[in-house]
Amino acid sequence: MTVATMKTLPIDLDRDRLPRHVACIMDGNGRWAKARNLPRIAGHRQGARMLKDLVRCCQDWGIPTLTVYAFSTENWQRPLQEVEFLMRLFERLLRKELAEMHREGVRLQFLGDLSALPDTLQAAMGRACETTAHNRGVTFNVAVNYGSRLEITRACQALAAQVQQGRLQPADIDETAISRQLYTLDDPDPDLLIRTSGEQRLSNYLLWQLAYTELYFTDRYWPDFDRAAFHEALLAYQQRDRRFGKVPAAISA
């Protein structure tokens, strides 16, 4: 099956065992560009094209939620020219793609400390979330200025404030209470994490939410991560025995 014919779910995938939520660390844009003697921004542009098709692929194949790591709290340390380009790219993509995503039923959400972003980008994100809030297609979460340790720290601060105000007892703080303070409060935890470019670390991404997530690492750079590559990742996922800490049935019997 070629990439061009992968509009429908490949027959070797079990629809009933697809992940409900896929998370991605989109790594390798710069290295993809360097390998082709192109500027880093060319890698980001091609990576954006791959991301657009992955959203559509999730819609086509029946995967309800996709969360991608677009810009971390540490990415501000990159060269200023690259950071400014990424901010403009985010805003330009929102202006260009919002109408089409809305028409296709995509629900767009942004995770992270958005207050540090340019005002025009914050406004564009707000419009996108408001416009697509009631859509029932794929939920597309974009993590921007996101860091998981900061997310968990802020969740703890919010719960501590509720205790201080007498609205919450310390004994009532459980996993559910913490989860409700996270950016992903309305989404199930990811079933599958995909990281491209050969790196095998989480890089401060969804540390709480990935507790029982299946991890898949590939040497492909993100701009090469097409539907065929996604198909390979899903095949690998469906070969996993997800026990969530339980003893396998064959052994317990």
Side-chain angles (χ1 to χ4, degrees):
M1 180 180 288
T2 65
V3 176
T5 62
M6 298 182 80
K7 174 75 173 174
T8 59
L9 184 72
I11 59 174
D12 53 357
L13 288 174
D14 182 349
R15 184 176 296 277
D16 294 332
R17 296 178 58 234
L18 289 174
R20 297 174 303 157
H21 185 174
V22 173
C24 294
I25 299 176
M26 306 180 293
D27 202 4
N29 288 349
R31 279 168 283 175
W32 180 90
K34 182 178 180 181
R36 290 160 177 77
N37 295 315
L38 297 171
R40 287 177 63 86
I41 59 176
H44 292 310
R45 288 196 179 102
Q46 179 61 20
R49 296 186 189 101
M50 283 294 130
L51 177 57
K52 179 180 176 181
D53 190 59
L54 183 60
V55 175
R56 283 207 175 100
C57 186
C58 288
Q59 186 99 304
D60 293 340
W61 294 1
I63 295 172
T65 304
L66 174 67
T67 301
V68 299
Y69 206 6
F71 191 87
S72 75
T73 51
E74 292 76 29
N75 286 157
W76 296 106
Q77 301 173 45
R78 292 186 177 187
L80 178 61
Q81 183 180 11
E82 182 177 353
V83 171
E84 290 178 342
F85 170 80
L86 287 171
M87 295 298 127
R88 292 194 300 271
L89 179 62
F90 294 152
E91 190 170 345
R92 187 163 60 247
L93 287 172
L94 280 175
R95 288 199 309 268
K96 181 180 177 183
E97 306 294 344
L98 178 58
E100 188 171 359
M101 285 193 291
H102 182 42
R103 187 166 56 250
E104 294 178 358
V106 175
R107 183 166 70 107
L108 194 56
Q109 300 184 133
F110 295 93
L111 317 179
D113 178 11
L114 307 184
S115 66
L117 303 177
D119 291 343
T120 54
L121 179 55
Q122 290 184 52
M125 289 175 167
R127 285 193 299 271
C129 293
E130 183 177 356
T131 299
T132 64
H134 301 293
N135 288 348
R136 294 293 177 263
V138 169
T139 294
F140 178 32
N141 298 320
V142 184
V144 183
N145 196 29
Y146 174 88
S148 189
R149 287 183 172 181
L150 178 61
E151 176 186 30
I152 294 169
T153 298
R154 291 188 171 185
C156 293
Q157 291 172 341
L159 292 171
Q162 293 180 35
V163 171
Q164 189 176 44
Q165 296 161 6
R167 297 163 49 202
L168 184 69
Q169 294 298 313
D172 294 329
I173 298 176
D174 56 12
E175 291 186 13
T176 299
I178 295 172
S179 293
R180 292 297 300 172
Q181 297 297 326
L182 302 178
Y183 297 125
T184 53
L185 74 162
D186 293 323
D187 297 317
D189 289 341
D191 298 299
L192 172 64
L193 169 75
I194 298 169
R195 180 164 189 159
T196 56
S197 85
E199 307 293 347
Q200 299 188 20
R201 54 182 178 271
L202 298 181
S203 297
N204 198 19
Y205 183 50
L206 300 176
L207 301 179
W208 177 277
Q209 297 89 335
L210 295 178
Y212 283 101
T213 299
E214 296 297 323
L215 309 181
Y216 177 84
F217 302 107
T218 174
D219 289 335
R220 287 179 186 247
Y221 295 139
W222 179 257
D224 290 327
F225 194 80
D226 55 15
R227 292 194 181 209
F230 190 39
H231 175 216
E232 292 175 10
L234 293 176
L235 280 175
Y237 168 79
Q238 293 197 341
Q239 293 168 3
R240 307 279 179 90
D241 180 15
R242 304 190 72 204
R243 299 195 297 271
F244 301 95
K246 301 174 183 176
V247 176
I251 295 177
S252 61

